[in-house]
Amino acid sequence: MKFLLRLLILSIVMPVEAAGQEFVLKDSCPPSFELRDSGCYLVSRYQFYDSLQNRGVGGTQTGLPEYRDGFSPQQIDLGRYLFFDPILSRDGSLSCASCHQPDKGFSDGQARSIGIDGQVTRRGAPSLWNVAFLKRLFWDARADSLEEQALGPLFAPDEMANTPLQLMQAMESSEHYPALFAQAYPQTAEPLSLENLTHALAAFQSSLVSLNSRYDRYALGHHQALSEEEIAGMNVYRSFVARCAECHTPPLFTNQQVAVIGSPEPEGLPLDVGAEKTFNAAKLKGGFKVPSLRNIVRTAPYMHSGRFDSLREAVEFYTKGRGHAVPDGVQMQIHWHIWEPQLTEQEIDDIVTFLDALTDESLMPSIPGRLPSGLAAVHDNSNNKHNPPREHSDE
């Protein structure tokens, strides 16, 4: 009832011309995607590289792993609306973008994300850049598709707290969404379905590609793209002393594995066993997915529960000694790559300097100026309240 009342109030205060305006989904692909056979397919210079020809860890000419593309332009655009629309949450207060904010590397700037009614969740929101390439999702690797991942926050009681029944009732009763789903899924018997909703979210998220940083321009042959300081940092990063590239492997800057590194929890919080629960494997106690370092300077604080406020603190953690932060009495099988490199202060600074060169937001999607639900686009979660739409919208 509270949610329906909110919809009614917003529909009254909306400008008359906006309320009567129809929505038409885009028929063109996002930048860096080519339209072929009604689907959008990624075009990247990395596709010219064969991974098997560059076996060295940290090599600059390593190709891309398998990835998802081929979604239609309409499915991607529908997913974009859904991503920013708080109609997906129980009370219309949260959207996917509440915890995956574009200006924060599609994370949220929180040590641990804030869900409905101000509830603090157990972990921070991972970045969504390049999720089309990832084989498993969530910090504890418990989902193996973007569709499966979407179901978690939608129905988790401490996140968006919706139910399948209420969600689909809200979508079906909205003025525009039934027609938009029909545009995006014209060949299906039931276009507006939970299955197609999560598929559209997957389509949009698969378009969030970040492969054109200054590092990429350097790796693809333009060696003036990096400064001398950044090249020095890259050399430390790739060295057998620091061994950063063994887990954060180019070009995605993750090897997509689960690693037990012994990262400490925030003060007063119990140990998070991570992937041990996912795989029912004691050897993975305290294990988490190796995150990509793409756009890492945008996604502070760092680690699964935001233990480190700065990127320098996160880098410094790896040189303080193997297992130094594991609680007394806890047995962890620390990943064999984690050792004691004894990096100098300058080398730590150089790595941090290099990581800034992995920033690329050139394919940032536009935030809708208005939404099919009539609600305001939510792309922040400060105090768990709505932010007004951005002025530079495309609608």
Side-chain angles (χ1 to χ4, degrees), residues 112-354:
R112 294 178 293 146
S113 295
I114 300 174
I116 202 162
D117 299 326
Q119 295 184 74
V120 180
T121 63
R122 191 168 191 182
R123 298 169 185 149
S127 171
L128 297 181
W129 284 114
N130 293 334
V131 291
F133 301 93
L134 301 185
K135 299 174 183 177
R136 302 194 69 90
L137 290 305
F138 291 116
W139 278 104
D140 57 8
R142 68 183 184 272
D144 58 12
S145 73
L146 284 166
E147 288 88 343
E148 182 183 358
Q149 182 276 328
L151 294 173
L154 284 173
F155 306 130
D158 61 345
E159 295 189 56
M160 300 175 84
N162 217 327
T163 65
L165 178 61
Q166 179 175 314
L167 173 57
M168 297 317 299
Q169 286 178 340
M171 300 299 295
E172 290 164 0
S173 64
S174 68
E175 180 181 359
H176 298 290
Y177 271 121
L180 291 180
F181 273 83
Q183 290 179 41
Y185 298 96
Q187 306 302 321
T188 59
E190 187 181 359
L192 206 173
S193 65
L194 182 59
E195 179 181 2
N196 287 341
L197 186 151
T198 57
H199 183 269
L201 286 172
F204 169 67
Q205 291 175 75
S206 294
S207 73
L208 303 177
V209 174
S210 180
L211 294 172
N212 193 34
S213 66
R214 287 185 297 107
Y215 162 81
D216 296 303
R217 294 195 288 276
Y218 175 92
L220 295 165
H222 179 49
H223 289 177
Q224 289 71 43
L226 296 183
S227 67
E228 292 183 6
E229 292 80 8
E230 289 166 337
I231 292 174
M234 181 182 67
N235 289 337
V236 177
Y237 177 95
R238 295 169 57 188
S239 71
F240 190 69
V241 176
R243 305 174 77 165
C244 307
E246 293 184 7
C247 290
H248 298 283
T249 310
L252 295 186
F253 286 84
T254 173
N255 61 6
Q256 305 208 47
Q257 297 177 11
V258 170
V260 181
I261 66 172
S263 172
E265 302 293 342
E267 293 294 333
L269 290 185
L271 176 69
D272 187 338
V273 300
E276 177 186 20
K277 181 178 179 181
T278 300
F279 299 100
N280 192 27
K283 67 179 182 180
L284 294 179
K285 183 187 296 292
F288 297 95
K289 267 187 52 189
V290 175
S292 171
L293 300 182
R294 293 277 178 173
N295 294 307
I296 192 69
V297 298
R298 299 283 192 264
T299 62
Y302 301 103
M303 302 300 184
H304 64 277
S305 55
R307 182 64 174 82
F308 300 124
D309 291 331
S310 72
L311 192 52
R312 195 183 195 285
E313 285 181 276
V315 174
E316 188 179 33
F317 163 80
Y318 293 95
T319 195
K320 286 187 173 181
R322 178 180 175 87
H324 71 274
V326 176
D328 292 339
V330 175
Q331 297 296 318
M332 281 190 186
Q333 296 188 30
I334 302 297
H335 197 287
W336 68 276
H337 287 169
I338 305 299
W339 67 313
E340 300 179 9
Q342 299 180 358
L343 299 177
T344 66
E345 295 296 308
Q346 184 61 55
E347 287 171 329
I348 293 173
D349 289 339
D350 288 344
I351 291 174
V352 173
T353 297
F354 165 65

Side-chain angles (χ1 to χ4, degrees), residues 47-100:
Q47 292 166 326
F48 290 98
Y49 293 145
D50 183 346
S51 297
L52 298 180
Q53 294 178 354
N54 190 32
R55 297 179 185 274
V57 173
T60 59
Q61 296 184 3
T62 303
L64 297 169
E66 293 183 0
Y67 51 88
R68 291 189 68 180
D69 60 3
F71 300 98
S72 74
Q74 292 81 6
Q75 290 165 354
I76 294 172
D77 203 32
L78 174 59
R80 181 177 67 99
Y81 282 120
L82 292 169
F83 186 84
F84 290 98
D85 202 328
I87 195 175
L88 300 189
S89 64
R90 184 191 70 199
D91 63 355
S93 65
L94 295 174
S95 72
C96 302
S98 297
C99 292
H100 298 285

